[in-house]
Amino acid sequence: MYRLLSANRAAAVQKALRVPPTAHTTTTVCCGCGGNSGFAPPNFGLYQQYYQMLYRQMPAGETATATSATAVRTQTTIPTQTDAVAQTKKKRLRKPRYAKYVELLEVTEQAISERRSRVKRLKSKKLADFIQKAQLQILERRAREDKKDNKKSKGGALELSQRQPVEYQKIDMEALDASLLESGLYDDRPMLFFGKDEYTKQVIANPEEVQNILKSFNNFRDIIESIESERHEADFGLSAKVPSEDPEAVVDPFEAIEPYINPLERSTPSSVTSVGMPAASAVTTKSKKRFKSKIHVNEEQERLAKQKALHMNLITYLSVCVSANMLSRALSTIIAYRGRVRKSSLPHLSQGLITVDLYNILLHGYAAKGSFERTQELFTLIEEDGLALNEQSYAAIFECLGRLESDEENQQNIAKYITQAEDEGFSLNQIMDRAKFVSDQRDIALDAIRRIRPDFTPAYVPPQLGYDNELLNHLNVHTLPVGVSAEAGDSDYAIMNSKLGYTKAQLEQFAREQLKVELEGCITIKSIEKSKEFANAERCRERLKEMEETWRKQISTAIVRDLNTMRAQVRFKPHGFMTYYTYLKTLDTSQISDILIKELYKLAEGSETFSPTVGQLYKELGQKVQRRYQIEQKKHNGTLEKVGEIYSSYCDLWDSGRTQDNTRQAWQRLVHEQRESGPSMDLPEVSWPSNVLTGVGRFLYNILMRDIKIDAHVMRKQKGKSKTTAQSQNLLPAFYTLFRNQGRLVKEEVKPHPVLARILRASRQQTLTFESNLVPMLCPPQPWSTPHNGGYLLNKSELIRLPHQAIQQWDRIGSSNPQHLYPALDSLNQLASVPWRVNTQLLDVIVEVFQNGGDAKLDVPQPPSSLPQLPTLPAKDAEGNAASNADRAKQFRDKMGHRRKQAEMYSLWCDALYRLSLAQHYRDKVFWLPHNMDFRGRVYPVPPHLNHLGSDLARSMLIFDQAQPLGVDGFSWLKLHCINLTGLKKRDSVRERLLYAEEIMPEILDSADNPLTGRQWWAKSDEPWQTLACCMEIAKVHRCPDPAAYLSRFPIHQDGSCNGLQHYAALGRDKAGACSVNLAPSAIPQDVYSAVATLVERSRKADAQNGLHVAEALAGFVRRKVIKQTVMTTVYGVTRYGARLQIARQLKDIDDFPKDWVWPASTYLTAKTFESLREMFTSTREIQDWFTECARLIAGVCSQNVEWVTPLGLPVVQPYNRQEAKHTVRTGLKVTANLPMDMFERPNILKQKNAFPPNFIHSLDSSHMMLTSLHCERKGITFVSVHDCFWTHANTVPELNRMCREQFVALHSQPILEQLSEFMKRTYSFHDTDFTNDGSVEDLSKRQLNRTLKQLPQKGDFDLRNVLDSVYFFS
């Protein structure tokens, strides 16, 4: 209930108590905390608001002669006078405190905390006593004056009871309608209490007056509740007091009258009067504490981080409020934060919090309702805040006016805003072109404009389709401007060759199936797991079905209950207090129930040895709610229909193949053609912040943990018996939590009840469920045309895989030229446009091995049950002696290792189960793999389980869907590929490999015909499953009468020769290094791993001759395989410790090597390997050292993350920052606005410097891949990449090789190091004014940074054009 005293009652009480009017006060605006919060009692504002609500000033324009008025009662936590006296009596019965004095030496943290709490309680008690005493004194004084007046004039005096503050009785809640209380809607029903005087009778007799009261209540209820919002939010630099003009004018608390509240008046400081507290004296003022933080550089950065986080939360919160039709809550929220910005002590840090984008969200919300008055009020607020309107603002006002009836006033308003927009430099074409629209907003706004200008037709600016990059500008000759059609003779449609083969009808059917999967949110498939059927499986399934129905009812009831509870709590919280309630109201109860039921099964079927922590579970569940919300939004705002229309036209192009555009350009043309109506297609989807995802997930998990019950006796029920009564049931929580040690930390996990786990295991559902954004697509993906739109048709796909705190790179991408991102986007689109299918012949063999228990040698995971049990340690040995402590310690270590091995086996087994089950599901279907990239530009398929990345088994199962004839040399490339996979002829020429293939053709054919029962030659290969797949393809071609005409779907690989070292050698023009990694032509392939092994062995022999024992122990064991991984990863920043682990792992796998020498030998070999690499690749080491030093100084001196721009224009920022483990306060209501963000935090210097060299090289190899991808697509060649391994059809391998080499030369012909140096100097170097010239360490470090950024490594004289003739560069 609400207490809102009307103006007349307030005037009467004010007159009776003779309260001075507020018009003569000279105090300034305060935050409601009584001035300086550091010196005001903590609940001072609460008592102040009590008197402000009790003695409310009369609004202007109202008559002051009425004696009574309508009052709306509000529930309040502030006690009345009678309650306060009763509570005081109760307090007197408490045991008195004896800790009244503090010893001088008592300085412990606990003592200080206790002392502070005692002081706070003492202040609260004294304040309450002071207010109560002052109130009684006022009433007593008025009573004495009334007695004097009664003696003088008995007839004209008012009764004392009429002049005292009104004592409201407690409302009997039982007398209210029970349906209102059960539904939780009672707080939306205002209760009006009327007096018995003439004025009240007039109000009751006049329905319009009552409606005005109700309208006023509904309009300003939310704003009234936000009065105390400052005390419920963290200090973002927005709550400090503005200095008072007259510090001596201190107003008594009872004279501070809160005026009539209007959103426009509330925003003006001069229209509000509040209480000012005296400033602290010089003696009591504390010195400012020194800023200390492990995360932020200074206090300003910390405040900016909090402000940025708050702004992100406000954008999502207001958007959700508008979509959930909670406009009043959105308005009061923005007004609350707006007020804090205006009262901020740091205005230069607070200006970016309230932006016009926040107002635009509200403008569109009110425009949808045709509320022109509110939009005008918002325009006034925008003007007062000094913000400039933009195109989106005018689009909202035109939409609002378009929804109103067209009359003279309406047309005048439209003309007024058209003129205002044009005066501010916004033409109508600009407004319609740059604003974003949903649903029918565009059509409504256009209709409003045409009421004034009937002939207006918006001219939309066509998109820029071409590239703006020196390496790709020559491809623009194939791109025609929008609206220009190609001439018949000049058209080159080769770009569509790799996409042909599907009719429009097929593609549209594929799209309908894909949309169905995405709308359902998940896909359920049959598992390939081979398991025995339990005898009671059918009964378990029946019980499970019954329990699911019960759970669904329990979940629905619990959601309604908890939301109503939260709603009641939220109603009496200030509206600057952002809550999860709004986010939870975005979906229906049934939709949330479906999500929780799926989550329930996922938890119940989890691993016994490991499960995610509750923090991970909360966030993942919140993401599921967000995905469902985003899809529902697309269904309601017209995006779904618009996507269907554009995709239908897109299918026409795939069917006809008559276009010179790549997929992005074709999609942009189609979107531009349909811009005249409907929603915009480039809407940026604002993701919910991680704190919101976690809070929503925590709320829902609370329901799972608390309300989902399981009967522990559920399996005891017999079929012939009737249902047991509730007394025989033993209902227990279906899930419980446990705490597990993970290193130094203890993690909380969720586990199912054993009964539930047994039921699920016995029922053996034989199905697996996957989220729709984790499986391949059944139709060609939507091309990436902007950083926010692409991939799945409805599901949100992330362009870049980044941790949630990494927002700096998104900021760089958002501020960059869209054309600079086109190369990366087009490469992702090209890879995603390749259709795939499953190699069913090979899949059947793999499934057979998997179902028969797996095979460790063939890399088919075995189930954990196959792991032999550890032998038990006997209590006593044969001689009767008890087991020693050493034996028991060894048994414990073995037990822990056994558990780890078991958990690892189960993880690998599940991964194979998911992959093979999905492959079985898609075995007769064509599918596509949408792609995205990491922050360096390396590309990955979005579906994690079924793709062509990963292990040998994963790569072997997929083949191209499009078949092409082998051609003249195709069969030779197929045989060469088979020999390359075996790893047997790495040092031999191509001719020798082909001759070897002919020699072993009988083994190849036997492997294809009898993979599991024959001689199994394929099983001895380095890549056994890919070798077997190739053997099967060779057998088919070998038996074909015309091999050249054979239609092959098999992909042929061309792999780079230690690609990281190739890029280093090209950067430094290192001739020796270039020859060792096959950048220069040679008769046989150069093997850098064998070369390094040779140098290491030569050094080992010298040490052995000098009597070094570890060198003697390694005799005969310095092999290529031992040091290969270390050489490969050296260029990617492997540390000596990591290299030692790699070499130790290889030595352990050698059966003959003495195990006692593993660690000393691995240490020795690590040092020798690094020395040999430095000897072979001098230029490489110099460049790597320069990268490391630059990154160290940038992170250490500038305290910034290292960033650069790739040669193709992609901005890259390393997301490595110091992260302090903070305990998150668990609250069911408040949205905490603290988010970790890399752009305001200290960088992790060690990670920044160690990661920069490998990350920069990765960005170069991704640029090379993208260049090759785009040129292959232009020629119509099928192209797929696994980082530095390129795939294509057998008949197009020569063309792929040529383009691969040409683009490598073109890439490294650019001044890459020079451009990097210039970028870093422009971004990080210090100017002359930044130096103090005092010889300090800081000053010297700045000068060292400037010098280092300029000191480029020396280059050699290697000619890059040699790469064009190198056969083994990629082979």
Side-chain angles (χ1 to χ4, degrees):
M1 315 318 123
Y2 292 87
R3 173 167 55 220
L4 176 60
L5 290 179
S6 69
N8 294 294
R9 169 63 69 186
V13 175
Q14 183 182 15
K15 182 178 179 181
L17 295 179
R18 295 180 180 174
V19 179
T22 58
H24 302 291
T25 58
T26 58
T27 55
T28 57
V29 178
C30 184
C31 61
C33 63
N36 192 330
S37 59
F39 296 91
N43 54 0
F44 180 83
L46 195 64
Y47 287 107
Q48 175 192 343
Q49 298 305 328
Y50 170 67
Y51 283 92
Q52 289 175 345
M53 297 295 288
L54 196 61
Y55 309 133
R56 187 169 303 279
Q57 185 182 7
M58 182 177 66
E62 292 283 349
T63 176
T65 58
T67 58
S68 180
T70 308
V72 182
R73 176 164 173 79
T74 176
Q75 182 178 345
T76 177
T77 57
I78 303 170
T80 60
Q81 183 178 357
T82 308
D83 294 333
V85 174
Q87 290 179 4
T88 304
K89 291 181 179 179
K90 291 181 180 179
K91 288 181 179 178
R92 290 173 182 169
L93 299 177
R94 293 180 182 174
K95 194 173 181 179
R97 292 193 183 90
Y98 295 98
K100 294 183 180 180
Y101 301 98
V102 179
E103 295 183 9
L104 293 177
L105 298 179
E106 185 181 330
V107 291
T108 63
E109 290 291 337
Q110 182 178 1
I112 293 173
S113 177
E114 291 176 356
R115 190 183 316 137
R116 285 174 179 169
S117 63
R118 289 198 298 270
V119 171
K120 288 182 179 179
R121 289 195 295 268
L122 183 62
K123 287 183 178 180
S124 301
K125 184 175 183 301
K126 284 187 175 180
L127 181 62
D129 294 342
F130 166 72
I131 292 175
Q132 183 180 352
K133 182 179 179 181
Q135 185 182 17
L136 292 175
Q137 289 175 351
I138 292 174
L139 296 176
E140 289 173 1
R141 185 175 69 251
R142 296 307 307 143
R144 288 194 299 270
E145 293 177 358
D146 285 336
K147 288 180 180 179
K148 295 179 181 179
D149 293 340
N150 285 334
K151 293 179 180 179
K152 296 179 181 180
S153 176
K154 295 182 179 180
L158 293 171
E159 294 182 3
L160 179 62
S161 60
Q162 289 180 314
R163 294 175 179 172
Q164 291 179 346
V166 180
E167 292 288 347
Y168 290 95
Q169 297 179 354
K170 299 292 183 182
I171 298 175
D172 185 7
M173 300 300 289
E174 297 179 358
L176 296 176
D177 186 1
S179 61
L180 286 178
L181 297 176
E182 292 174 1
S183 64
L185 299 177
Y186 51 83
D187 50 355
D188 278 345
R189 306 293 179 90
M191 305 184 68
L192 307 182
F193 295 87
F194 297 99
K196 298 181 180 180
D197 53 15
E198 295 298 326
Y199 177 76
T200 303
K201 293 179 181 179
Q202 294 176 8
V203 172
I204 297 175
N206 189 356
E208 293 182 0
E209 188 69 21
V210 176
Q211 290 301 321
N212 288 336
I213 295 173
L214 292 175
K215 183 178 179 181
S216 175
F217 166 76
N218 289 323
N219 285 345
F220 301 113
R221 174 188 60 192
D222 293 334
I223 301 171
I224 291 170
E225 290 176 351
S226 65
I227 290 173
E228 292 186 31
S229 58
E230 286 84 353
R231 74 176 57 195
H232 294 282
E233 291 289 340
D235 178 20
F236 294 102
L238 305 179
S239 59
K241 175 182 176 294
V242 176
S244 174
E245 296 178 3
D246 186 2
E248 296 180 0
V250 180
V251 183
D252 188 83
F254 308 110
E255 296 179 0
I257 308 299
E258 179 74 3
Y260 180 81
I261 299 176
N262 183 291
L264 299 182
E265 293 178 359
R266 187 172 176 78
S267 64
T268 307
S270 60
S271 65
V272 183
T273 336
S274 186
V275 179
M277 294 297 292
S281 64
V283 178
T284 59
T285 302
K286 294 182 179 180
S287 60
K288 186 178 180 181
K289 292 183 179 180
R290 182 181 177 184
F291 179 77
K292 292 181 180 180
S293 174
K294 293 182 179 180
I295 297 180
H296 300 97
V297 180
N298 50 47
E299 190 172 1
E300 181 178 355
Q301 290 292 306
E302 185 178 30
R303 289 183 180 275
L304 287 173
K306 291 181 178 181
Q307 178 183 301
K308 178 76 173 178
L310 184 56
H311 184 72
M312 293 169 59
N313 276 275
L314 279 174
I315 288 178
T316 56
Y317 187 75
L318 295 179
S319 300
V320 169
C321 282
V322 171
S323 64
N325 199 24
M326 299 181 181
L327 296 179
S328 296
R329 175 163 289 274
L331 176 61
S332 58
T333 300
I334 198 171
I335 287 178
Y337 284 101
R338 177 179 179 269
R340 294 183 208 178
V341 170
R342 296 171 71 84
K343 294 179 286 187
S344 172
S345 61
L346 302 170
H348 64 289
L349 294 181
S350 307
Q351 290 173 353
L353 178 61
I354 303 299
T355 63
V356 73
D357 295 330
L358 298 179
Y359 283 110
N360 288 340
I361 297 171
L362 272 177
L363 283 171
H364 277 292
Y366 284 113
K369 296 181 175 296
S371 179
F372 181 60
E373 294 179 359
R374 277 305 172 91
T375 55
Q376 284 185 308
E377 292 174 1
L378 289 173
F379 268 41
T380 305
L381 295 179
I382 293 172
E383 183 180 356
E384 290 179 359
D385 288 345
L387 301 174
L389 299 175
N390 58 18
E391 294 91 346
Q392 198 70 44
S393 310
Y394 285 108
I397 195 67
F398 289 142
E399 178 202 349
C400 179
L401 293 169
R403 296 190 187 278
L404 302 176
E405 292 293 332
S406 178
D407 53 23
E408 184 177 353
E409 182 183 0
N410 177 263
Q411 293 178 7
Q412 289 176 355
N413 287 327
I414 295 173
K416 167 191 169 184
Y417 283 107
I418 290 176
T419 304
Q420 180 178 332
E422 291 176 342
D423 291 343
E424 294 181 6
F426 300 118
S427 66
L428 294 180
N429 281 327
Q430 279 180 298
I431 293 172
M432 298 302 297
D433 178 64
R434 297 180 184 177
K436 311 297 183 187
F437 298 96
V438 297
S439 301
D440 60 347
Q441 291 177 355
R442 187 192 304 272
D443 302 321
I444 297 296
L446 193 56
D447 176 65
I449 294 173
R450 285 175 176 165
R451 294 176 186 176
I452 304 301
R453 300 184 182 180
D455 299 330
F456 172 71
T457 301
Y460 295 105
V461 176
Q464 291 288 337
L465 301 179
Y467 298 112
D468 183 16
N469 187 282
E470 186 177 346
L471 294 167
L472 292 168
N473 285 340
H474 61 279
L475 296 181
N476 291 338
V477 298
H478 301 281
T479 304
L480 299 175
V482 175
V484 177
S485 57
E487 298 181 6
D490 299 334
S491 301
D492 180 10
Y493 302 139
I495 196 171
M496 294 299 295
N497 289 348
S498 60
K499 307 173 184 64
L500 298 177
Y502 312 98
T503 64
K504 181 181 179 181
Q506 286 178 315
L507 291 170
E508 288 182 339
Q509 178 61 30
F510 293 161
R512 282 192 288 270
E513 294 175 5
Q514 178 63 28
L515 282 173
K516 181 181 178 183
V517 171
E518 293 190 37
L519 288 172
E520 290 177 355
C522 64
I523 180 175
T524 300
I525 65 173
K526 187 177 180 181
S527 171
I528 64 160
E529 181 185 1
K530 188 178 180 182
S531 57
K532 296 180 181 179
E533 184 83 3
F534 286 80
N536 61 345
E538 193 60 36
R539 187 157 65 92
C540 287
R541 294 191 186 106
E542 293 176 3
R543 296 289 180 267
L544 199 58
K545 187 176 181 180
E546 293 174 1
M547 287 192 294
E548 182 179 335
E549 294 175 358
T550 305
W551 290 337
R552 193 173 292 274
K553 294 177 183 176
Q554 291 173 343
I555 290 173
S556 299
T557 304
I559 290 172
V560 173
R561 179 201 66 213
D562 288 357
L563 282 180
N564 285 340
T565 302
M566 183 179 283
R567 183 176 189 172
Q569 293 171 322
V570 166
R571 179 61 63 196
F572 303 106
K573 298 291 183 182
H575 277 190
F577 185 93
M578 292 183 287
T579 66
Y580 300 114
Y581 174 80
T582 312
Y583 292 96
L584 292 162
K585 288 296 290 182
T586 56
L587 296 181
D588 296 335
T589 303
S590 60
Q591 294 170 329
I592 298 180
S593 299
D594 291 338
I595 294 173
L596 284 181
I597 288 292
K598 293 173 185 175
E599 187 74 9
L600 186 151
Y601 279 110
K602 187 194 83 170
L603 282 176
E605 295 171 353
S607 166
E608 295 180 3
T609 57
F610 172 78
S611 64
T613 61
V614 290
Q616 293 172 281
L617 293 174
Y618 293 160
K619 188 173 181 180
E620 289 173 4
L621 185 56
Q623 288 172 337
K624 293 174 184 177
V625 175
Q626 178 189 223
R627 283 196 294 270
R628 174 50 52 186
Y629 162 72
Q630 290 172 340
I631 289 179
E632 292 298 318
Q633 285 296 105
K634 290 181 179 179
K635 288 165 63 176
H636 291 112
N637 64 21
T639 303
L640 176 59
E641 291 77 7
K642 189 75 173 282
V643 167
E645 295 171 5
I646 297 176
Y647 199 86
S648 179
S649 302
Y650 186 61
C651 293
D652 279 331
L653 294 176
W654 276 63
D655 183 14
S656 65
R658 299 183 62 80
T659 179
Q660 298 185 97
D661 295 332
N662 60 35
T663 53
R664 170 191 55 84
Q665 294 166 342
W667 187 266
Q668 285 178 312
R669 287 186 197 270
L670 294 173
V671 170
H672 180 70
E673 291 172 2
Q674 301 193 28
R675 285 190 68 184
E676 296 178 357
S677 64
S680 302
M681 291 301 296
D682 55 349
L683 293 171
E685 290 189 34
V686 182
S687 298
W688 294 354
S690 58
N691 57 325
V692 171
L693 297 175
T694 302
V696 170
R698 183 187 299 115
F699 174 89
L700 297 178
Y701 254 97
N702 184 47
I703 293 176
L704 279 184
M705 302 297 295
R706 186 184 59 191
D707 293 283
I708 303 301
K709 306 288 185 182
I710 185 171
D711 183 8
H713 303 156
V714 65
M715 296 307 296
R716 299 182 186 180
K717 302 175 184 177
Q718 301 297 326
K719 290 185 178 180
K721 295 183 180 180
S722 61
K723 291 186 177 180
T724 58
T725 61
Q727 296 178 350
S728 64
Q729 291 183 341
N730 183 16
L731 294 178
L732 298 173
F735 297 94
Y736 61 94
T737 58
L738 59 83
F739 294 85
R740 189 191 303 274
N741 289 321
Q742 291 187 2
R744 297 179 293 104
L745 304 176
V746 178
K747 301 291 186 180
E748 183 181 0
E749 299 178 359
V750 177
K751 293 294 182 184
H753 192 281
V755 173
L756 177 59
R758 281 200 298 270
I759 292 175
L760 279 170
R761 190 162 51 247
S763 63
R764 287 293 180 182
Q765 297 293 315
Q766 297 293 329
T767 59
L768 296 171
T769 301
F770 297 93
E771 297 292 323
S772 58
N773 62 339
L774 299 179
V775 295
M777 292 185 66
L778 298 172
C779 66
Q782 176 185 339
W784 289 102
S785 55
T786 71
H788 306 285
N789 300 92
Y792 292 94
L793 300 184
L794 291 180
N795 282 329
K796 178 75 170 71
S797 303
E798 293 294 342
L799 174 66
I800 302 178
R801 302 180 176 199
L802 280 172
H804 65 89
Q805 77 273 8
I807 64 169
Q808 189 173 357
Q809 187 164 1
W810 284 116
D811 190 61
R812 298 291 184 268
I813 288 174
S815 59
S816 63
N817 185 344
Q819 283 184 282
H820 294 168
L821 302 177
Y822 283 170
L825 299 182
D826 286 348
S827 180
L828 294 176
N829 295 335
Q830 184 277 319
L831 296 170
S833 67
V834 175
W836 296 89
R837 66 169 51 241
V838 175
N839 188 340
T840 55
Q841 184 181 3
L842 183 70
L843 176 64
D844 293 336
V845 179
I846 299 175
V847 169
E848 182 180 351
V849 175
F850 181 81
Q851 291 180 339
N852 290 334
D855 191 324
K857 293 183 178 179
L858 296 178
D859 202 24
V860 178
Q862 298 173 295
S865 57
S866 64
L867 191 65
Q869 294 293 326
L870 287 174
T872 58
L873 185 68
K876 295 184 179 181
D877 57 15
E879 299 177 359
N881 298 324
S884 64
N885 291 337
D887 292 338
R888 284 196 293 268
K890 183 178 182 302
Q891 185 192 31
F892 179 77
R893 289 195 300 270
D894 293 343
K895 186 177 180 181
M896 292 297 101
H898 186 272
R899 286 184 179 178
R900 283 194 297 271
K901 181 66 175 176
Q902 201 171 28
E904 180 184 351
M905 291 179 67
Y906 182 73
S907 176
L908 294 173
W909 182 84
C910 286
D911 178 68
L913 175 68
Y914 296 161
R915 190 181 300 275
L916 295 175
S917 298
L918 281 169
Q920 187 76 9
H921 177 75
Y922 286 96
R923 64 178 296 141
D924 298 320
K925 301 177 181 178
V926 57
F927 55 88
W928 285 261
L929 300 173
H931 281 63
N932 61 7
M933 57 187 170
D934 63 17
F935 70 94
R936 305 162 299 188
R938 276 201 155 192
V939 301
Y940 304 85
V942 177
H945 302 299
L946 183 61
N947 58 49
H948 59 288
L949 261 70
S951 64
D952 166 55
L953 183 141
R955 298 187 185 195
S956 67
M957 290 194 300
L958 300 188
I959 55 177
F960 298 135
D961 182 64
Q962 190 185 58
Q964 292 188 11
L966 283 178
V968 179
D969 298 324
F971 194 20
S972 297
W973 283 112
L974 195 59
K975 290 184 284 188
L976 182 62
H977 176 56
C978 182
I979 303 305
N980 289 343
L981 289 170
T982 63
L984 298 174
K985 296 291 181 178
K986 289 183 179 292
R987 301 299 301 271
D988 295 336
S989 65
V990 170
R991 182 175 178 276
E992 291 172 341
R993 296 181 197 182
L994 289 174
L995 290 174
Y996 179 71
E998 294 297 334
E999 292 177 11
I1000 62 167
M1001 186 59 68
E1003 300 290 343
I1004 294 175
L1005 298 177
D1006 176 73
S1007 298
D1009 297 337
N1010 308 295
L1012 300 179
T1013 58
R1015 295 186 293 272
Q1016 292 191 326
W1017 170 82
W1018 62 275
K1020 304 183 183 78
S1021 168
D1022 286 352
E1023 312 285 351
W1025 291 109
Q1026 292 181 79
T1027 303
L1028 178 58
C1030 195
C1031 290
M1032 292 177 173
E1033 189 73 3
I1034 290 174
K1036 294 175 186 176
V1037 179
H1038 183 75
R1039 292 159 182 162
C1040 178
D1042 185 6
Y1046 177 80
L1047 296 177
S1048 175
R1049 293 187 169 93
F1050 198 82
I1052 305 297
H1053 305 175
Q1054 295 293 285
D1055 201 351
S1057 176
C1058 199
N1059 192 238
L1061 282 173
Q1062 288 179 330
H1063 284 285
Y1064 267 121
L1067 282 174
R1069 304 295 194 271
D1070 182 3
K1071 182 176 289 187
C1075 292
S1076 65
V1077 291
N1078 295 299
L1079 292 187
S1082 62
I1084 59 173
Q1086 300 299 311
D1087 186 13
V1088 65
Y1089 309 117
S1090 299
V1092 173
T1094 302
L1095 288 177
V1096 173
E1097 174 64 14
R1098 187 175 63 192
S1099 179
R1100 185 206 64 79
K1101 285 182 179 179
D1103 290 339
Q1105 291 175 356
N1106 293 330
L1108 189 63
H1109 296 304
V1110 67
E1112 295 173 353
L1114 279 167
F1117 295 107
V1118 181
R1119 304 171 184 174
R1120 177 184 185 274
K1121 188 176 182 180
V1122 172
I1123 54 94
K1124 177 183 176 181
Q1125 188 179 10
T1126 300
V1127 174
M1128 185 189 306
T1129 55
T1130 297
V1131 295
Y1132 297 132
V1134 68
T1135 62
R1136 287 183 178 268
Y1137 177 74
R1140 180 188 178 189
L1141 293 177
Q1142 293 170 349
I1143 293 176
R1145 194 179 305 117
Q1146 296 296 333
L1147 291 175
K1148 286 179 182 178
D1149 292 340
I1150 301 176
D1151 296 334
D1152 299 337
F1153 188 76
K1155 298 298 182 284
D1156 294 340
W1157 283 97
V1158 167
W1159 284 111
S1162 62
T1163 304
Y1164 174 81
L1165 282 183
T1166 299
K1168 292 299 179 182
T1169 302
F1170 275 65
E1171 289 175 8
S1172 301
L1173 281 170
R1174 186 177 289 274
E1175 180 181 341
M1176 285 184 65
F1177 299 93
T1178 54
S1179 179
T1180 296
R1181 182 55 60 183
E1182 289 177 6
I1183 295 173
Q1184 197 170 10
D1185 291 343
W1186 182 68
F1187 284 160
T1188 303
E1189 184 65 9
C1190 287
R1192 184 185 69 83
L1193 291 171
I1194 290 170
V1197 179
C1198 301
S1199 294
Q1200 295 185 45
N1201 294 334
V1202 180
E1203 60 179 288
W1204 68 95
V1205 178
T1206 70
L1208 293 188
L1210 178 69
V1212 178
V1213 181
Q1214 293 194 147
Y1216 310 122
N1217 296 84
R1218 294 188 181 182
Q1219 302 230 347
E1220 197 175 54
K1222 292 184 177 180
H1223 177 69
T1224 304
V1225 180
R1226 298 188 176 186
T1227 170
L1229 289 176
K1230 184 176 180 180
V1231 176
T1232 56
N1234 287 328
L1235 294 173
M1237 285 180 288
D1238 60 344
M1239 63 193 307
F1240 299 110
E1241 298 175 356
R1242 290 179 184 269
N1244 187 317
I1245 300 175
L1246 183 63
K1247 285 187 177 181
Q1248 289 283 346
K1249 77 179 186 66
N1250 287 341
F1252 180 45
N1255 284 341
F1256 187 80
I1257 296 300
H1258 278 313
S1259 71
L1260 288 184
D1261 71 44
S1262 72
S1263 298
H1264 176 224
M1265 185 280 299
M1266 290 177 177
L1267 285 170
T1268 308
S1269 160
L1270 298 177
H1271 285 82
C1272 284
E1273 182 186 35
R1274 179 55 61 184
K1275 294 296 183 182
I1277 299 173
T1278 301
F1279 175 86
V1280 169
S1281 84
V1282 182
H1283 302 318
D1284 59 349
C1285 180
F1286 300 163
W1287 298 12
T1288 189
H1289 284 93
N1291 64 335
T1292 55
V1293 172
E1295 292 181 74
L1296 169 65
N1297 279 327
R1298 178 176 57 81
M1299 293 181 190
C1300 169
R1301 287 155 176 77
E1302 289 176 352
Q1303 298 313 311
F1304 185 87
V1305 172
L1307 173 66
H1308 283 283
S1309 297
Q1310 301 290 311
I1312 295 176
L1313 292 181
E1314 291 78 4
Q1315 291 173 349
L1316 175 65
S1317 175
E1318 286 299 321
F1319 176 84
M1320 291 195 296
K1321 285 191 293 183
R1322 189 169 60 251
T1323 307
Y1324 301 112
S1325 64
F1326 292 94
H1327 302 288
D1328 293 338
T1329 55
D1330 298 324
F1331 298 117
T1332 56
N1333 297 317
D1334 57 356
S1336 63
V1337 174
E1338 182 180 359
D1339 195 69
L1340 294 175
S1341 299
K1342 292 178 180 179
R1343 294 182 184 278
Q1344 184 185 1
L1345 171 66
N1346 284 5
R1347 285 195 307 270
T1348 304
L1349 296 183
K1350 298 175 183 177
Q1351 292 173 352
L1352 287 173
Q1354 295 295 322
K1355 291 187 179 182
D1357 56 357
F1358 176 71
D1359 187 357
L1360 277 177
R1361 289 175 296 179
N1362 289 328
V1363 175
L1364 299 175
D1365 301 322
S1366 175
V1367 175
Y1368 302 105
F1369 167 64
F1370 265 64
S1371 63

